[in-house]
Amino acid sequence: MSDALTMAGRSLRISARTPDALITALAMPVMLMLVFVYFFGGAIDTGGEYVQYVVPGVLVLCAGFGAGNTAMSVTHDMHGGIIDRFRAMDVGGAAILAGHVAASLARNLAATAVVFGVATAIGFRAQASAAGWFAAIGVLVCYIVALSWLAATVGLIANSPEAAGGFTFFIGFLPYPSSGFVPVDTMPSWLRGFAEHQPLTPVIESMRGLLLGQPVGGSAWQALAWCAGITVVSVAAADVLYRRRTG
């Protein structure tokens, strides 16, 4: 545990030295939120104010940009020679990867707070109870952890930080074919099936319902099941990949 915390602190210090990446990861979701709310929101019928609808999707998008940085950081470590030094210091792969994930969680929660502050400034009003807030934050934390472990796995596979950056494009695109920005029932039938059953839709639907004080049905449990599954598979794959890459 102490090694993982040390590695997390190292990742956060490295992040502080690359403010351009942090600003990009934060500015993109904020800019997209402003574009959707002020450019397209008036033309999209969601049964209420669009800003109330779109914020959970933007929070998920923000986590995706943050996870992209994690994938690139892991790839940089694997190819920069620092892993050999850590192994000589008897620091295991589990601690190194867990440190990256913990740092990703810290960065993403800070970015989420900024995005949520901007959303509040442009009119978003949460109507959640204390239990609703707790549950919404819990779902978001589970999603960020799952996505960060998936990003760490991608970082182990990629041959260069630039290749790992492709993960940002993939995970940044995934919120669009979901209920994040438009209602799923407005999509063509061939796309609707994917949008309804991909993992981001229950994550977004549960956070939207919890933040707005509305019933969430089974979406929260579906979101937690997806997050648990992604985390378990990613941790197992990361363990195998790390052993192969460093064995």
Side-chain angles (χ1 to χ4, degrees), residues 212-233:
L212 299 182
Q214 299 171 352
V216 297
S219 62
W221 294 114
Q222 294 175 25
L224 294 176
W226 271 111
C227 293
I230 293 171
T231 301
V232 170
V233 172

Side-chain angles (χ1 to χ4, degrees), residues 36-236:
F36 270 91
V37 170
Y38 290 115
F39 290 9
F40 306 132
I44 301 174
D45 182 12
T46 59
E49 293 187 29
Y50 186 69
V51 67
Q52 296 288 94
Y53 181 89
V54 78
V55 168
V58 175
L59 295 178
V60 168
L61 187 66
C62 181
F65 282 113
N69 289 333
T70 302
M72 290 187 286
S73 297
V74 170
T75 304
H76 187 272
D77 277 358
M78 295 301 295
H79 294 272
I82 192 68
I83 294 297
D84 291 334
R85 185 173 180 181
F86 287 150
R87 293 179 69 192
M89 298 168 64
D90 199 24
V91 178
I96 296 170
L97 297 176
H100 277 290
V101 171
S104 176
L105 177 61
R107 289 194 302 266
N108 273 292
L109 289 179
T112 296
V114 174
V115 171
F116 200 86
V118 175
T120 302
I122 64 175
F124 178 77
R125 296 293 179 269
Q127 300 166 14
S129 62
W133 273 106
F134 181 80
I137 294 172
V139 171
L140 182 61
V141 167
C142 289
Y143 174 72
I144 293 173
V145 170
L147 196 61
S148 298
W149 272 111
L150 179 61
T153 304
V154 172
L156 290 169
I157 297 172
N159 291 320
S160 68
E162 291 77 13
F167 178 74
T168 304
F169 172 79
F170 171 75
I171 205 66
F173 172 78
L174 206 54
Y176 295 103
S178 75
S179 64
F181 296 95
V182 299
V184 171
D185 56 12
T186 65
M187 298 179 181
S189 57
W190 60 268
L191 180 59
R192 193 180 309 161
F194 174 79
E196 288 177 340
H197 297 97
Q198 66 131 312
L200 270 62
T201 293
V203 172
I204 292 168
E205 287 294 313
S206 57
M207 285 200 298
R208 180 179 291 135
L210 291 167
L211 290 174
L212 299 182
Q214 299 171 352
V216 297
S219 62
W221 294 114
Q222 294 175 25
L224 294 176
W226 271 111
C227 293
I230 293 171
T231 301
V232 170
V233 172
S234 297
V235 169

